[in-house]
Amino acid sequence: MLKSKTFVKKTRSGGVMKIVREHYLRDDIWCGSEVCTECKQESTVLQRDACIESDLCCFPHYLIPDTNVVLHQIDVLEDPLIRNVVILQTVLQEVRHRSAPIYKRLKDILHEQEKHFYTFTNEHHRETFIEREPGESANDRNDRAIRVAVKWYSHHLEKGGSDGPKAVLITNDQGNKEKAEESDLLVYKCEEYIKSLIANPELVDRLALANDEKNDISSSKVLFPEHFPLSRIQVGIKSGTFLQGTFRASRDNYLEATVFVQGEGEDSTEVLLQGLQNLNRAIHQDVVAVQLLPREQWLAPSSVVLHDEREAKDEDATEEEEKEKAMKNIADDAARKPTGRVVGIIKRNWRPFCGMLNSSLIKESTRHLFTPADRRVPRIRIETRQASALASQRIMVAIDGWPRHSRYPNGHFVRSLGAAGDKETETEVLLLEHDVPHQDFSQAVLSFLPKMPWSITPEDMAVRQDLRALTVCSVDPPGCTDIDDALHCRTLENGNLEVGVHIADVSHFIRPGNALDLEASNRGTTVYLCGKRIDMVPELLSSNLCSLRSNVERLAFSCIWEMNNKADIVKTRFTKSVINSKASLTYAEAQLRIDDTTMNDDITNSLRGLNKLAKILKRQRIEKGALTLSSLEVRFHIDSETHDPIDLQTKELMETNSMVEEFMLLANISVAQKIYDEFSECALLRKHPAPPPSNYDILTKAAKSKGLAIHTDSAKALADSLDVAKVDGFPYFNTLLRILATRCMMQAVYFCSGMDSDFHHYGLASPIYTHFTSPIRRYSDIIVHRLLAVAIGADSTYPDLTDKHKQSALCNNLNYRHKMSQYAQRASVAFHTQLFFKSRGILNEEGFILFVRKNAIIVLIPKFGLEGTVFFDSKDKTGPKLVFDEEGPTLMVEQHTFKIFDKVKVTISLDDSNVQHQKIRMSLVDPVIPGVSVPVTEVEPPAKKPKLDC
Amino acid sequence: MAGLELLSDQGYRLDGRKAPELRKVQARMGVFAQADGSAYIEQGNTKALAVVYGPHEMRGSRSRTLHDRAVINCQYSMATFSTAERKRRPHGDRKSTEMSLHLKQTFEAAVMTQLYPRSQIDIYVKVLQADGGNYSVCVNAATLAVIDAGIPMRDYVCACTVGFVDETPLADLCFAEESGGGSSLALALLPRGGQIALLQMDARLHQDHLETLMEAAMTACKGVSKVLDEVVRQHLQEVSVLTGE
Ligand SMILES: [Zn+2]
């Protein structure tokens, strides 16, 4: 075995180093085909009957794509129709070098058994390895290697009989194709082959548009400056002429973007980009190189809200130029920001986008513009023959490229998601757009669930503390089925109180490294949408075995304190336990029990004890400078049959809410300290950085407009000044101010203690913090449980748990999933708000101005927790005279000046003229401004049940 | 740019080997006539030369003399031209000293030193070309040289470096694999009895992985021992033909 290999040296020169590597060639690499009798392979991947109806190849065949076909046509390869494909090692390696996302997708296909994709390790096969010839470029060598491998396959498969499958090379490179034909290979261009699949014409739509000149109908006029090649960009970045950063398109203005340039430590900057030319075909999330403009050309961010709503045709750019001029801000120097232009793209971060088709005005046209749901992404031109069928559907489209003379990028159709406006479709869209993994759990994942009927075994009991006799109860929102925490409180003989927080012992069921664990760690969090929950762990665990329901025995991880009557902690201990909750209460039920003086049972007394301590804890926390901020959360009453929202109310908070919260915070802090003491290098913690002072500008300005001062030098100062900020006759002012303060905050993040030195949690005013109390719905808590279990000797450790790099990578994923789930949740609320207003018709409501923009005001309706924009300019008619003052900020419309916090009256209606971006439209009713405000509309009676045709 | 993929999904390593496979080993004994024993070994692209003098009387300070066994003196060095980077290698730098010490410990465990009280055995090893697993290759070279010198040993000392990538142990690492991250472990084994002469690991490794890694290292060492054994037999055959015995 060892000696059977011949031996070739491969030399690779890079810089001054000469690297010599061994390269073994083998005889034991098999072809992977079912028909082969020669190879001694244990299992085969490629099928005998590899048939697909094609009028080019009417015989069974295996496709062998070259690198560029894989890179550009991955959508086609992903189609279930395309099976029996050989991916050569040469191709796989090149793809790996050139595009990480496509490499990942290719790997996923290779793992999928139904696809019958086989990797042939041609570079180590004795008969298919070739050496680079003198003068041959690396690319040419690889092309030749691919041809040699295809040749080998053709010969090899022929040995199994002439009617066996044949190897077909797919390439888009003309030169490569000709050379392949010379050596008698079967070779087709990708487009040619896909079009030959007579039975499946829809696959053509998934073809990426080739960036051929002839393929472009747009004027040959060059619209954009060229992108510099990577080599020049790298030189420029090194010398400091260019900056590298992530491109972030503006949600509100399609002609504006910023590039976030990561600097050393705090030293990050943002570069402003304005105008199509300067944006230069960069797309949201791309990594780009920018060049700063001379200082005198620097601009201030515009406050204009601008959407690209032109007809779907390529007209000349004059209109854009006008708009660009209009938004140039003649601001003083202070407001100007470093401004630049994109000179090159370092890495594209394109993903398939959800959105809708704007059908071309010409009926027979096959070219259409596609509008992504994400406003930050430009419209995409695609080619499809199914336009009429797709017109009312949500579809997915991938970008292929953006030539210099095209106003829009070119792309291709990937798949349809369903009818637009449909609740299922819209939910699917928002899950996809926020990258929320939401497929059903796979069989592999489910196989790691405990077998039913499940019960606690004597072995479990032996290593756990038996707390079944304690009066434990849980307090949660109504309808909660995944109860992950329960509490108890009792008086000890020495007069102190014993308080216990009992958390579902999820880590008992989810063992490290198995499929269930990997799935949960990828999902990171349960996502709550209106009327729908996307679980992190399968339902058997989330709603049954782990849920601490009343009157059943459940495994728990308990944190138990002994406290004196001043809520000082005398002793803390952690233990795995078995509990039997005596009651599952809602916040309201618990509140009733506490308030009802006639009740004196154990549960109620326990609740009263907890409530008393919680109040003390809360006071202590606030004295230390913890912030109580405000955000309006709305809750929908959902019709049980149609699942349509029928009413909407803002969530109200009761004393019991904060009682539970207080003990959860305490448990989290105690556990954080314990795991950090035990694992100083790899404790998973959560921090909340203090915001940079500039974040507070908007808050201080707003307060100043009411003659109040807000101190922001510390959390305590901020909390104190928010407490005293009150305006007579305006009770809602303080809440508004707190809503604004919330918007100034930074995002709290998970991190690994060995990778960071700043642990402080600003909002909670705690030096250390983590998440321990919700392991059913957060993966971070599962890791914390495992760490704590090791710390108290209740469980054994495993390699990844103590690897700080792996844990840091996990934290990044958790932070990303957490952020995305919040966005998805907001999007879901917005969608349901629209459904609600659709059924309600037009409403007149009072609201407050939250922000003032250059051409609009943003109004908050407290009753619905709804934010909307009132625009003062319109694209058709000449708008009113607008004067915007940055300092206030104030906006003068004709004679009336709008300031932040002004009370206004608006009508609210649903604008469904654009099915994709249905939006809540608000128009001004009061104050009355002639030509701007609208008369009070009679409130229409609620619309009848929506009919099917809408 | 992505880093190197040390182990592909198909189970092949960078150079085309599978995880437990060793590199090609070629060796020759008795390359220097004037030394008591010598050997040259190529393990893939790592090439090393070992020379043995002794046992002979103690030289230099007599105070190191041991009355019940021989003193083993080892010296490890690397040729200036042995790596891609042309680095000046002062004699007796920290790394060489450490290596020398490791070799000394290894051979003290293997050579039957009690047969030669009050004497000294010198083992000199030089790495001519380095491509990973320097220590192991030197041990293997020195074993052959000691056998060539006719000094009795308990068993062959066979060494191999193993690494750990994607939960899979890789045998006989090359330089790219050694520097590609992950922990590596060097083991010198007396294969027949399974005694460990030296075990060295600098990186961190979780306890759970140690056993699999050790098993892989043992298997690899046994593989090396088979090759060395063949080399020795081949050499003996050649020598006996020459001397006409
Ligand atoms: Zn075969």
Side-chain angles (χ1 to χ4, degrees):
Chain A
M1 179 86 160
L2 190 72
K3 298 284 177 195
S4 71
K5 286 171 264 172
T6 25
F7 178 78
V8 177
K9 265 185 215 161
K10 202 180 176 187
T11 318
R12 221 184 59 167
S13 310
V16 271
M17 288 246 266
K18 183 173 176 187
I19 296 164
V20 180
R21 274 210 203 134
E22 280 188 295
H23 193 91
Y24 290 91
L25 300 182
R26 323 179 56 108
D27 296 324
D28 61 348
I29 295 172
W30 317 127
C31 67
S33 167
E34 215 170 41
V35 295
C36 180
T37 49
E38 210 169 78
C39 294
K40 297 175 204 68
Q41 45 208 353
E42 281 160 15
S43 62
T44 55
V45 177
L46 302 166
Q47 295 167 296
R48 177 183 300 276
D49 183 27
C51 256
I52 173 168
E53 255 186 276
S54 157
D55 55 10
L56 276 177
C57 330
C58 43
F59 39 82
H61 55 276
Y62 302 146
L63 296 179
I64 308 183
D66 77 354
T67 313
N68 280 320
V69 170
V70 174
L71 284 173
H72 298 309
Q73 307 292 358
I74 187 82
D75 281 326
V76 172
L77 293 179
E78 273 174 352
D79 194 287
L81 196 67
I82 304 291
R83 277 173 301 160
N84 292 299
V85 174
V86 178
I87 299 293
L88 300 175
Q89 187 195 8
T90 316
V91 172
L92 195 63
Q93 280 172 350
E94 275 195 293
V95 170
R96 183 167 185 271
H97 264 322
R98 287 175 47 188
S99 167
I102 293 186
Y103 179 67
K104 168 142 198 318
R105 287 166 74 184
L106 184 60
K107 281 252 221 179
D108 287 346
I109 306 178
L110 287 168
H111 285 299
E112 215 173 293
Q113 276 174 8
E114 278 92 68
K115 291 286 282 172
H116 299 281
F117 271 51
Y118 178 70
T119 317
F120 182 63
T121 312
N122 63 319
E123 296 284 353
H124 289 289
H125 192 286
R126 192 213 286 267
E127 286 163 36
T128 54
F129 172 76
I130 55 159
E131 271 189 279
R132 190 161 148 190
E133 279 165 4
E136 193 176 33
S137 78
N139 268 335
D140 288 346
R141 182 208 94 81
N142 286 345
D143 282 347
R144 191 158 61 86
I146 292 168
R147 290 198 301 273
V148 169
V150 176
K151 185 104 190 156
W152 180 86
Y153 256 101
S154 321
H155 284 307
H156 185 81
L157 293 171
E158 254 168 38
K159 291 178 194 165
S162 58
D163 55 342
K166 296 187 166 39
V168 174
L169 174 63
I170 301 290
T171 178
N172 280 334
D173 180 35
Q174 188 60 36
N176 195 12
K177 188 177 174 217
E178 277 161 16
K179 282 190 191 135
E181 276 162 351
E182 275 167 33
S183 40
D184 291 328
L185 299 178
L186 283 169
V187 55
Y188 298 111
K189 287 204 168 183
C190 189
E191 209 179 319
E192 192 177 16
Y193 177 79
I194 297 298
K195 283 187 176 153
S196 80
L197 303 177
I198 17 176
N200 302 82
E202 74 280 359
L203 206 56
V204 175
D205 284 353
R206 298 186 71 164
L207 269 176
L209 287 182
N211 271 337
D212 289 351
E213 299 298 312
K214 62 169 176 12
N215 239 341
D216 264 294
I217 47 152
S218 56
S219 55
S220 54
K221 199 172 103 184
V222 171
L223 293 173
F224 293 101
E226 97 185 285
H227 287 152
F228 291 145
L230 209 54
S231 52
R232 179 150 171 215
I233 292 173
Q234 276 160 351
V235 172
I237 288 173
K238 239 177 224 155
S239 69
T241 23
F242 301 153
L243 297 170
Q244 172 177 347
T246 313
F247 183 88
R248 293 178 182 167
S250 157
R251 211 182 277 274
D252 294 327
N253 185 338
Y254 77 102
L255 293 174
E256 186 172 287
T258 52
V259 170
F260 180 78
V261 181
Q262 182 84 47
E264 304 279 311
E266 303 281 295
D267 204 24
S268 305
T269 47
E270 259 189 359
V271 178
L272 180 73
L273 309 170
Q274 273 187 1
L276 279 181
Q277 294 277 318
N278 292 337
L279 300 179
N280 197 4
R281 293 170 285 156
I283 290 171
H284 187 62
Q285 290 292 338
D286 285 348
V287 179
V288 298
V290 287
Q291 184 177 35
L292 285 183
L293 298 174
R295 198 171 257 279
E296 60 273 15
Q297 289 177 35
W298 286 12
L299 303 163
S302 81
S303 328
V304 187
V305 179
L306 211 54
H307 294 148
D308 187 8
E309 278 166 350
R310 298 191 309 159
E311 284 306 325
K313 59 186 177 213
D314 277 305
E315 50 202 293
D316 53 359
T318 47
E319 190 187 340
E320 243 111 41
E321 277 160 24
E322 269 165 39
K323 280 190 189 158
E324 278 170 33
K325 245 179 261 157
M327 67 188 227
K328 295 255 151 85
N329 221 336
I330 302 124
D332 54 89
D333 284 346
R336 292 185 185 216
K337 291 252 161 65
T339 306
R341 64 188 185 93
V342 171
V343 294
I345 308 283
I346 295 163
K347 190 168 167 285
R348 290 290 195 186
N349 261 328
W350 294 340
R351 58 181 175 92
F353 299 101
C354 298
M356 286 187 76
L357 209 61
N358 316 54
S359 297
S360 171
L361 296 177
I362 313 151
K363 211 172 157 201
E364 289 75 26
S365 173
T366 56
R367 290 168 174 280
H368 304 272
L369 272 188
F370 161 86
T371 309
D374 189 339
R375 285 230 174 81
R376 293 167 298 191
V377 178
R379 295 200 266 176
I380 303 163
R381 187 188 296 111
I382 66 165
E383 205 171 317
T384 177
R385 281 156 201 80
Q386 325 166 51
S388 49
L390 296 179
S392 57
Q393 299 198 343
R394 290 277 197 169
I395 59 173
M396 267 179 113
V397 159
I399 303 184
D400 301 323
W402 196 342
R404 285 177 66 193
H405 42 69
S406 165
R407 168 66 180 78
Y408 297 106
N410 293 330
H412 65 272
F413 169 72
V414 179
R415 69 187 172 100
S416 167
L417 302 169
D422 208 59
K423 210 167 330 158
E424 316 281 274
T425 314
E426 296 304 322
T427 307
E428 178 78 14
V429 167
L430 76 90
L431 291 174
L432 282 169
E433 279 295 293
H434 296 96
D435 197 9
V436 176
H438 60 283
Q439 280 80 26
D440 291 342
F441 288 99
S442 69
Q443 277 310 315
V445 170
L446 296 176
S447 71
F448 287 98
L449 290 176
K451 302 284 166 285
M452 294 303 282
W454 172 88
S455 63
I456 297 173
T457 62
E459 292 83 59
D460 290 333
M461 285 306 290
V463 294
R464 289 169 182 269
Q465 202 175 354
D466 185 354
L467 302 178
R468 285 177 294 184
L470 288 178
T471 314
V472 173
C473 66
S474 63
V475 186
D476 287 283
C480 177
T481 59
D482 49 350
I483 303 171
D484 33 24
D485 51 86
L487 297 153
H488 88 272
C489 173
R490 62 172 179 176
T491 313
L492 298 173
E493 279 168 16
N494 61 7
N496 283 347
L497 293 163
E498 181 192 80
V499 178
V501 166
H502 312 276
I503 306 297
D505 193 4
V506 183
S507 65
H508 174 86
F509 296 99
I510 302 184
R511 302 310 296 167
N514 67 25
L516 176 59
D517 183 47
L518 295 181
E519 181 68 26
S521 95
N522 178 40
R523 293 189 176 211
T525 174
T526 292
V527 180
Y528 294 87
L529 304 179
C530 302
K532 190 179 170 83
R533 186 177 85 193
I534 291 103
D535 276 326
M536 176 180 83
V537 298
E539 197 173 358
L540 177 67
L541 291 181
S542 67
S543 298
N544 187 354
L545 299 185
C546 288
S547 182
L548 303 177
R549 298 186 296 183
S550 53
N551 301 317
V552 284
E553 291 180 2
R554 287 287 175 254
L555 302 179
F557 207 154
S558 303
C559 172
I560 298 168
W561 301 279
E562 186 181 333
M563 288 182 175
N564 62 21
N565 283 303
K566 291 183 207 129
D568 297 323
I569 298 171
V570 181
K571 214 167 81 187
T572 309
R573 68 190 172 95
F574 307 98
T575 179
K576 292 242 177 177
S577 61
V578 180
I579 61 162
N580 188 339
S581 168
K582 301 290 178 283
S584 311
L585 306 172
T586 64
Y587 291 121
E589 284 167 359
Q591 191 69 50
L592 278 178
R593 276 175 180 259
I594 292 171
D595 296 343
D596 186 349
T597 46
T598 61
M599 294 188 84
N600 261 314
D601 55 302
D602 279 353
I603 297 174
T604 311
N605 285 335
S606 175
L607 287 171
R608 286 192 187 126
L610 289 167
N611 199 30
K612 197 185 84 189
L613 289 172
K615 282 183 183 164
I616 306 173
L617 286 171
K618 184 167 188 182
R619 204 182 57 231
Q620 288 173 348
R621 215 161 48 80
I622 287 170
E623 275 165 15
K624 269 192 273 168
L627 296 170
T628 38
L629 297 174
S630 220
S631 64
L632 288 176
E633 280 188 81
V634 288
R635 170 181 291 274
F636 288 95
H637 292 281
I638 305 241
D639 188 310
S640 57
E641 258 173 58
T642 62
H643 298 286
D644 284 329
I646 44 179
D647 197 4
L648 148 157
Q649 71 176 71
T650 48
K651 287 182 188 168
E652 57 176 318
L653 293 177
M654 272 172 279
E655 225 173 37
T656 42
N657 284 64
S658 99
M659 171 187 94
V660 173
E661 190 192 340
E662 221 44 64
F663 285 104
M664 295 306 131
L665 292 177
L666 193 63
N668 286 336
I669 293 169
S670 296
V671 171
Q673 193 57 53
K674 176 76 182 174
I675 59 172
Y676 178 62
D677 289 347
E678 198 74 20
F679 302 98
S680 60
E681 281 293 294
C682 57
L684 189 152
L685 302 175
R686 188 167 174 83
K687 68 170 176 180
H688 182 217
S694 63
N695 273 28
Y696 287 122
D697 281 355
I698 186 142
L699 181 68
T700 42
K701 267 187 195 171
K704 216 166 91 191
S705 71
K706 293 282 174 197
L708 292 166
I710 297 287
H711 302 283
T712 57
D713 13 299
S714 72
K716 172 102 180 102
L718 176 64
D720 290 347
S721 47
L722 281 176
D723 282 343
V724 297
K726 292 204 170 76
V727 173
D728 286 339
F730 190 0
Y732 202 64
F733 173 74
N734 194 270
T735 312
L736 283 175
L737 212 54
R738 284 179 200 270
I739 291 174
L740 275 185
T742 314
R743 311 266 163 110
C744 303
M745 291 299 146
M746 306 286 281
Q747 187 81 44
V749 288
Y750 297 111
F751 68 103
C752 171
S753 62
M755 307 291 276
D756 212 323
S757 54
D758 176 26
F759 295 2
H760 194 72
H761 197 295
Y762 180 80
L764 296 173
S766 172
I768 192 165
Y769 192 67
T770 193
H771 272 164
F772 167 72
T773 52
S774 301
I776 300 180
R777 58 186 178 88
R778 288 189 307 232
Y779 190 76
S780 51
D781 303 49
I782 295 184
I783 294 290
V784 169
H785 275 228
R786 288 178 183 161
L787 287 166
L788 184 65
V790 175
I792 62 166
D795 206 340
S796 57
T797 171
Y798 60 99
D800 287 0
L801 190 67
T802 52
D803 183 327
K804 66 176 178 181
H805 297 284
K806 288 213 170 134
Q807 208 178 86
S808 197
L810 174 70
C811 286
N812 288 341
N813 181 49
L814 296 182
N815 289 330
Y816 170 73
R817 294 291 187 207
H818 186 75
K819 191 173 75 189
M820 282 315 190
S821 87
Q822 282 183 331
Y823 290 164
Q825 203 172 341
R826 262 180 242 167
S828 171
V829 169
F831 175 65
H832 279 82
T833 312
Q834 290 163 8
L835 282 185
F836 174 72
F837 283 105
K838 191 172 182 175
S839 63
R840 279 308 182 81
I842 297 167
L843 291 176
N844 294 313
E845 290 298 336
E846 260 181 15
F848 299 99
I849 298 180
L850 208 52
F851 298 104
V852 178
R853 296 266 188 268
K854 201 171 170 183
N855 61 344
I857 50 173
I858 291 164
V859 178
L860 176 83
I861 313 289
K863 186 173 165 192
F864 301 124
L866 172 73
E867 252 177 79
T869 312
V870 178
F871 290 98
F872 292 118
D873 57 351
S874 58
K875 47 183 181 287
D876 338 310
K877 48 180 201 254
T878 44
K881 192 165 136 278
L882 302 175
V883 181
F884 179 67
D885 177 15
E886 194 99 15
E887 266 319 290
T890 60
L891 178 67
M892 196 158 93
V893 181
E894 298 291 345
Q895 301 308 316
H896 188 89
T897 307
F898 288 99
K899 294 193 306 294
I900 199 159
F901 298 138
D902 279 359
K903 196 188 232 177
V904 292
K905 237 188 213 141
V906 292
T907 64
I908 310 169
S909 61
L910 182 74
D911 175 4
D912 51 6
S913 57
N914 178 344
V915 196
Q916 163 142 276
H917 291 292
Q918 288 195 352
K919 53 193 168 197
I920 301 292
R921 193 196 345 235
M922 288 191 185
S923 339
L924 196 64
V925 174
D926 182 60
V928 177
I929 304 171
V932 176
S933 60
V934 296
V936 182
T937 4
E938 284 300 308
V939 175
E940 292 173 13
K944 294 177 193 75
K945 285 253 167 176
K947 288 185 201 109
L948 281 173
D949 60 310
C950 63
Chain B
M1 276 270 277
L4 293 169
E5 189 184 41
L6 294 180
L7 188 68
S8 76
D9 286 351
Q10 291 72 45
Y12 296 109
R13 293 156 65 174
L14 286 174
D15 51 11
R17 285 182 290 157
K18 291 197 170 170
E21 288 175 353
L22 303 174
R23 290 179 288 183
K24 189 183 173 92
V25 180
Q26 282 180 311
R28 224 147 33 99
M29 290 166 69
V31 285
F32 287 131
Q34 88 239 43
D36 294 317
S38 62
Y40 168 74
I41 192 166
E42 286 184 6
Q43 199 163 332
N45 278 331
T46 305
K47 300 171 185 182
L49 190 65
V51 178
V52 171
Y53 291 93
H56 54 73
E57 275 186 28
M58 289 296 293
R59 280 182 206 137
S61 107
R62 302 252 158 202
S63 58
R64 290 191 300 135
T65 311
L66 297 173
H67 293 278
D68 55 343
R69 55 195 167 97
V71 171
I72 291 188
N73 172 38
C74 282
Q75 225 172 72
Y76 167 94
S77 60
M78 276 176 92
T80 330
F81 49 82
S82 63
T83 53
E85 244 177 312
R86 300 282 164 268
K87 218 167 26 185
R88 217 160 210 286
R89 292 176 197 282
H91 194 68
D93 61 323
R94 203 192 63 83
K95 214 178 139 209
S96 301
T97 317
E98 190 188 335
M99 272 302 205
S100 304
L101 195 68
H102 285 159
L103 286 174
K104 182 178 154 80
Q105 286 169 344
T106 312
F107 281 91
E108 273 172 353
V111 173
M112 299 174 82
T113 48
Q114 71 277 16
L115 298 177
Y116 308 101
R118 284 183 293 279
S119 51
Q120 175 181 352
I121 300 169
D122 296 321
I123 304 176
Y124 300 100
V125 229
K126 191 160 192 107
V127 174
L128 303 177
Q129 186 172 306
D131 186 27
N134 294 350
Y135 164 77
S136 314
V137 178
C138 287
V139 169
N140 298 337
T143 301
L144 292 179
V146 171
I147 292 171
D148 187 40
I151 300 171
M153 287 204 288
R154 293 186 173 84
D155 192 358
Y156 289 88
V157 208
C158 303
C160 198
T161 318
V162 286
F164 199 68
V165 169
D166 292 340
E167 321 280 295
T168 317
L170 305 182
D172 195 10
L173 301 184
C174 70
F175 179 72
E177 288 169 332
E178 259 184 357
S179 50
S183 14
S184 70
L185 170 152
L187 173 74
L189 189 76
L190 306 178
R192 230 163 299 174
Q195 293 120 317
I196 293 170
L198 187 106
L199 175 67
Q200 190 220 351
M201 186 169 67
D202 293 334
R204 279 166 64 120
L205 181 80
H206 197 274
Q207 193 184 341
D208 293 4
H209 294 325
L210 188 63
E211 204 174 317
T212 45
L213 200 55
M214 280 296 287
E215 249 163 54
M218 296 246 193
T219 320
C221 287
K222 283 175 189 157
V224 172
S225 106
K226 245 183 239 160
V227 182
L228 295 189
D229 192 49
E230 227 166 88
V231 172
V232 172
R233 280 172 206 283
Q234 180 88 31
H235 178 72
L236 282 178
Q237 226 163 29
E238 282 165 20
V239 174
S240 38
V241 168
L242 276 179
T243 51
E245 278 170 31

